[in-house]
């Protein structure tokens, strides 16, 4: 989706630590690597924004490449205007006019322009557990979102775990959040930019995509859902069969820019396949599975001349974002699946990224 600039945070936060021994060390911003035993599948994560920094996998010839866009240095993530790989929330995507009514009370939020977009993503998470190797390497990160942070009601305890598990080239991401004392909307999303040819190698228009959704949520000129849940049949948003992205990119638009920037209502319930993304040139493929009602497909329409890893320059359509989520602006549309978590209730968001080549 069209991106708002991240909050400006001084670089001194990179060396910020809470007082006291081990807790202080774990609050310092760092980079954490997970790697399989064979050594040909690895992930890097930073606790700045619970960010997925890199995912390195082979292609059909065994050549390794990083398939997510990002930066080489932590300082670049702090200063960035593109939320490469971050966990965004308390509510991802847009909330119209930065306000909603909950239990008869009007809640007013901090806004990015005329709406609230993504809430807080630029925060330091605490490393709770870190196992870099073995059969199922993983890292668990924790963040306490305080009452009225960015205007959202109530305290929220949030955990994010990244784990290499299940299959030989599979990354699982789990997000759990417990509402402690007030009802609050919760909708966390991972904002990775995927290019299966390798980051910065080319645009992603040669990728084939399939989205397991027979409906989508149309938006107005401000990118706010109209409230309709419409069939994709007969529209350029119909991706139920593998489709070359470049063949559709000029037939859809978001905020006046050609390209996909839309939420799909994923077919079925529970943990199921959401999308399939393939790069014929490298042979790499990504299956995305999740348990959320929607997925935002964003084709990096607004990405422009961003200097990324190794000095490579990322341009328009340089990657594909597949953000599993609740429906955008669900708090203002009673017909959308609810994203409200009551005190003591737990929000659970599970994702599985299955790579093949």
């Amino acid at each position: 989706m069209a991106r708002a600039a991240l909050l400006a945070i001084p670089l001194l936060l990179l060396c910020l630590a809470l007082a006291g021994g081990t807790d202080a060390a774990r609050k310092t911003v760092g980079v954490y690597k997970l790697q399989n035993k064979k050594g040909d599948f690895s992930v890097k994560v930073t606790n700045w924004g619970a960010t997925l920094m890199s995912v390195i996998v082979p292609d059909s010839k065994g050549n390794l490449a990083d398939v997510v866009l990002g930066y080489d240095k932590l300082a670049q993530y702090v200063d960035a205007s593109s939320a490469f790989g971050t966990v965004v929330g308390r509510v991802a995507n847009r909330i119209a006019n930065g306000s909603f009514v909950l239990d008869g009370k009007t809640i007013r939020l901090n806004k990015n322009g005329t709406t609230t977009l993504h809430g807080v993503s630029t925060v330091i998470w605490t490393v709770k557990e870190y196992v870099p190797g073995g059969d199922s390497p993983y890292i668990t990160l924790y963040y306490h979102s305080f009452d009225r942070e960015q205007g959202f009601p109530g305290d929220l305890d949030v955990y994010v775990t990244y784990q290499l598990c299940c299959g030989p080239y599979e990354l699982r991401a789990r997000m759990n959040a417990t509402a402690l004392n007030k009802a609050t909307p919760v909708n966390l999303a991972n904002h990775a930019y995927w290019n299966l040819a390798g980051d910065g190698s080319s645009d992603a228009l040669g990728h084939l995509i399939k989205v397991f959704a027979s409906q989508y949520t149309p938006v107005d000129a401000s990118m706010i859902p109209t409230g309709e849940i419409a069939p994709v049949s007969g529209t350029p948003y119909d991706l139920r069969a593998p489709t070359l992205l470049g063949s559709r990119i000029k037939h859809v638009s978001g905020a006046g820019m050609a390209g996909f920037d839309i939420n799909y209502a994923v077919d079925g319930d529970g943990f199921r396949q959401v999308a399939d993304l393939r790069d014929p040139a490298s042979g790499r493929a990504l299956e995305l599975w999740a348990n959320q009602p929607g997925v935002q497909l964003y084709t990096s329409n607004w990405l422009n001349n961003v200097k990324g890893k190794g000095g490579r320059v990322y341009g328009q359509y340089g990657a594909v974002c597949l953000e599993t989520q609740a429906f955008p602006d669900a708090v203002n549309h009673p017909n959308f699946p609810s994203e409200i978590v009551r005190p003591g209730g737990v929000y659970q968001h599970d994702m599985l990224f299955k790579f093949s080549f």
Side-chain angles (χ1 to χ4, degrees), residues 261-283:
D261 193 358
I262 199 71
N263 172 69
Y264 284 88
V266 181
D267 293 339
D269 297 302
F271 192 71
R272 74 278 194 210
Q273 188 169 0
V274 172
D276 184 282
L277 186 67
R278 295 178 181 270
D279 173 42
S282 68

Side-chain angles (χ1 to χ4, degrees), residues 1 15 38 72 133 144 160 228 282 284 329:
M1 60 198 70
C15 58
K38 190 176 178 181
D72 293 317
H144 176 77
V160 173
E228 182 184 10
S282 68
R284 292 190 186 94
D329 200 34

Side-chain angles (χ1 to χ4, degrees), residues 227-238:
E228 182 184 10
I229 303 174
V232 298
S233 180
T235 78
Y237 292 102
D238 190 349

